[in-house]
Amino acid sequence: MKIDLQNHEPFLYITDNSNECNASSIFMISDQNTFYKQSAIDHGCTKIISAKECIHLLGIADKIKIIGITGTNGKTTTAAAIYSILLDLGKKVGLQGTRGCFINDHRIEDKSLTTPPILQTIKNLKMAVDAGCEYFVMEVSSHAIVQNRIDGLSFALKILTNITQDHLDFHKTIDEYIAVKSRFFEDESLKLINKDESKIRFNRTNAMSYGIEHPATYKILAYSLKEGISAAVAKIDKVYDFESPLHGFFNLYNILAAISAVDMLGVAPMEAICEAVEHFGGVEGRMEVVSNDPLVIVDFAHTPDGMEKVLDSMKERDLVVVFGAGGDRDRTKRPKMGAMAERYAKKIVVTSDNPRSEDPQSIINEILAGMRPNEHLEVEVDRHKAIEKALLKQGKDEVLLILGKGDETYQEIQGKKYPFDDREVVKSIIAQWAKQK
């Protein structure tokens, strides 16, 4: 990873890779590459800097406001909503997260880690500054907090969506996971906290809140989820209305967080912010409608809580659900995911997700441990066949939910990524059936 330099002779670029070092390079050190400091020196590097020093060297410190969003679920949608609203309000904005990096409505980087290595983030920030951006919205993962991949960044606003079980393969316990998320909010920077999330610990200085169930700075007074979202939000003694084409109770939280965040940044009056919400159509792979007849929706939900949010948002409908669980990840959530599907779905097909190095059938067996055998529960290891079977099972007024992979375009099996997109599979099957009629 390199960032080219101008007017910094004799140095031509900054790198975080010691193998790219020479006398004309600057080595930016981080927790991930500190072991290779001597290697950088051996390659001829004479200048070593920290992430914070790198930001100042590039002249981007204090030139852009960074909004960081963390939480188990909702990061991607909340970040995208803030980005969309700011663009709609005439601001220049960058967005970095699971879906890649965007600057002023143009994709500049494909999907990567939720929070990439710090030098990549700094490079994206520099491109945003060079493009005249005033704001940079980024997702902050728990892994990035632990590994100091946000070291050196100064946040104008930090946002919490929620905390539920996830990544326990990495964090080991839910208490450790909560502690990591809480660490992000221990300073005195401006913060926006989900008031309905009781597990988080945070520094109350400069903290505001949003919520539906509990009193908050931004509080939902009334809402309807019949066709999209319609709601009234109170800010102190004033009430504002907004509408969104998104579906689901969980998206009410995401939109509320986005409205609150943009208002806290002082960008525009609340009326204008609420009006801009209507133009945000959501994120690929998040409650994405793939087919209307039959109604098929694809979503990224891959945790018990994520599944509950999606399934509960459609609880008035008869549901057919296809899902699996990722391999080499937290195994304790698998039976819980099975139980969650059983609670809400009329018909279920359990299949593979990204089995990675694990045996797909073993993963499925752990999911089934949380379920009771019944005539409407089927197992099909092959995900393509599982989707086809679910479409065959789907009744006229039923909704098919395909969960776990969202807008992923591959399936990872034994170290290889094979082309696979739930959405394209659905479309191809339906198109094939249409030809046979």
Side-chain angles (χ1 to χ4, degrees):
M1 174 69 222
K2 290 182 180 180
I3 299 179
D4 292 330
L5 292 172
Q6 293 180 343
N7 304 318
H8 287 281
E9 289 80 5
F11 303 110
L12 301 179
Y13 60 90
I14 302 170
T15 180
D16 57 359
N17 184 345
S18 64
N19 290 323
E20 296 176 344
C21 285
N22 54 43
S24 63
S25 68
I26 297 174
F27 184 60
M28 196 207 77
I29 199 163
S30 66
D31 278 17
Q32 281 68 59
N33 68 6
T34 186
F35 179 79
Y36 299 97
K37 178 180 177 180
Q38 186 58 50
S39 173
I41 295 170
D42 292 342
H43 279 83
C45 181
T46 60
K47 184 163 183 159
I48 297 173
I49 61 174
S50 67
K52 190 170 185 177
E53 290 169 328
C54 181
I55 291 169
H56 282 275
L57 180 66
L58 293 170
I60 59 176
D62 303 321
K63 287 191 176 179
I64 194 166
K65 294 179 180 177
I66 305 174
I67 299 101
I69 304 163
T70 196
T72 309
N73 298 304
K75 293 189 296 296
T76 300
T77 300
T78 302
I82 294 171
Y83 174 69
S84 173
I85 293 169
L86 288 171
L87 286 174
D88 233 44
L89 293 171
K91 300 300 180 182
K92 292 186 176 181
V93 196
L95 170 66
Q96 174 183 279
T98 308
R99 297 166 58 234
C101 186
F102 302 78
I103 292 178
N104 296 331
D105 220 13
H106 296 287
R107 183 191 288 271
I108 64 164
E109 179 188 313
D110 290 333
K111 294 180 184 180
S112 63
L113 296 172
T114 301
T115 312
I118 184 60
L119 190 60
Q120 180 68 61
T121 295
I122 292 172
K123 183 177 183 179
N124 292 341
L125 278 166
K126 185 178 186 306
M127 286 191 286
V129 169
D130 290 346
C133 291
E134 302 168 68
Y135 302 94
F136 189 84
V137 187
M138 62 179 287
E139 298 178 49
V140 178
S141 68
S142 56
H143 291 69
I145 297 170
V146 170
Q147 296 169 352
N148 291 322
R149 279 190 264 134
I150 53 173
D151 186 39
L153 301 181
S154 178
F155 290 89
L157 175 62
K158 297 180 175 182
I159 302 168
L160 174 78
T161 58
N162 50 57
I163 297 179
T164 59
Q165 180 176 329
D166 199 13
H167 303 304
L168 296 195
D169 53 301
F170 180 80
H171 297 290
K172 306 307 178 188
T173 69
I174 188 67
D175 288 339
E176 181 185 336
Y177 181 55
I178 293 168
V180 168
K181 292 292 189 187
S182 297
R183 191 188 310 166
F184 187 57
F185 300 100
E186 64 187 10
D187 62 14
E188 295 189 355
S189 60
L190 191 62
K191 295 174 281 289
L192 177 62
I193 305 295
N194 181 349
K195 194 66 176 294
D196 298 338
E197 177 51 74
S198 61
K199 294 184 283 295
I200 190 69
R201 299 184 294 275
F202 61 95
N203 185 329
R204 297 185 179 276
T205 303
N206 294 319
M208 294 189 185
S209 60
Y210 68 100
I212 300 173
E213 299 172 2
H214 296 89
T217 315
Y218 300 88
K219 172 80 164 67
I220 293 293
L221 297 182
Y223 65 89
S224 170
L225 304 175
K226 286 184 179 178
E227 294 183 7
I229 295 170
S230 299
V233 55
K235 178 194 173 187
I236 308 175
D237 57 349
K238 290 188 177 181
V239 179
Y240 306 88
D241 298 323
F242 67 89
E243 293 185 355
S244 165
L246 303 192
H247 294 274
F249 184 64
F250 60 96
N251 271 324
L252 178 57
Y253 275 102
N254 296 334
I255 294 299
L256 177 60
I259 290 172
S260 307
V262 176
D263 182 62
M264 287 174 68
L265 293 169
V267 175
M270 274 288 280
E271 292 88 351
I273 296 170
C274 289
E275 185 177 339
V277 167
E278 295 183 41
H279 304 136
F280 174 58
V283 177
E284 286 185 349
R286 269 70 173 179
M287 289 298 282
E288 182 176 352
V289 177
V290 179
S291 166
N292 283 298
D293 185 18
L295 182 53
V296 182
I297 297 174
V298 168
D299 192 84
F300 188 63
H302 60 284
T303 66
D305 179 73
M307 287 181 66
E308 181 174 28
K309 284 178 165 59
V310 169
L311 296 169
D312 188 68
S313 72
M314 304 292 291
K315 65 184 177 184
E316 303 303 322
R317 306 291 297 271
D318 287 332
L319 303 178
V320 183
V321 175
V322 176
F323 78 104
D328 303 331
R329 298 295 186 268
D330 176 18
R331 294 173 58 184
T332 66
K333 69 181 182 182
R334 295 171 185 174
K336 296 175 184 177
M337 291 168 69
M340 195 60 66
E342 186 177 68
R343 183 192 304 177
Y344 286 94
K346 181 179 178 182
K347 303 169 186 173
I348 301 171
V349 182
V350 181
T351 187
S352 296
D353 190 293
N354 290 315
R356 300 185 178 89
S357 70
E358 287 193 62
D359 172 42
Q361 186 61 57
S362 296
I363 297 173
I364 289 171
N365 290 342
E366 292 186 358
I367 292 171
L368 296 175
M371 309 174 75
R372 293 163 297 183
N374 69 76
E375 60 181 318
H376 299 299
L377 170 61
E378 189 167 351
V379 171
E380 174 54 66
V381 175
D382 186 298
R383 192 172 180 93
H384 189 289
K385 290 180 181 178
I387 292 172
E388 187 169 16
K389 286 183 178 181
L391 283 164
L392 287 168
K393 285 175 174 287
Q394 185 179 7
K396 186 183 178 200
D397 296 319
E398 295 174 345
V399 180
L400 172 56
L401 290 171
I402 304 173
L403 307 180
K405 291 174 58 59
D407 61 342
E408 286 181 353
T409 56
Y410 63 86
Q411 189 172 28
E412 189 175 346
I413 303 171
Q414 295 299 323
K416 293 184 179 180
K417 290 184 177 180
Y418 298 89
F420 195 99
D421 187 323
D422 288 344
R423 300 164 301 176
E424 295 305 317
V425 170
V426 170
K427 291 173 186 176
S428 67
I429 293 171
I430 292 175
Q432 185 179 354
W433 288 352
K435 288 180 182 178
Q436 295 172 353
K437 286 184 179 179

